[in-house]
Amino acid sequence: MFEGIDHVVIAVKDLDRGVEQYEAILGAKVSRTGEPPGAGFKNAYFDFDGTQLELVSPTGDGGPIARRLET
């Protein structure tokens, strides 16, 4: 059924702080960051042998990530 995990997404309130914490925990550096136009969030990726960990953080109060973090 599954051959592996493509990526895991973790929502954080502050992307810079999240990156700092996960770099320390994982012992790895972020491979790239971005802000998809109109998505309401910015992100940072850690790459591991075919799997990625993606941190996402809201850019405002009304997007899907911001609403999820509120709950």
Side-chain angles (χ1 to χ4, degrees):
M1 177 185 270
F2 295 107
E3 291 189 24
I5 296 174
D6 179 64
H7 77 286
V8 173
V9 179
I10 299 173
V12 296
K13 290 183 179 181
D14 181 315
L15 189 62
D16 293 332
R17 178 108 169 98
V19 165
E20 181 180 304
Q21 289 177 331
Y22 277 87
E23 284 181 338
I25 292 167
L26 300 170
K29 294 288 184 188
V30 165
S31 61
R32 67 190 181 285
T33 61
E35 188 174 329
F41 66 88
K42 51 189 175 179
N43 55 12
Y45 288 91
F46 293 87
D47 291 315
F48 303 99
D49 296 327
T51 299
Q52 298 174 335
L53 175 67
E54 179 185 8
L55 300 181
V56 294
S57 179
T59 55
D61 294 334
I65 305 303
R67 287 191 303 269
R68 181 68 181 141
L69 287 170
E70 281 182 21
T71 62

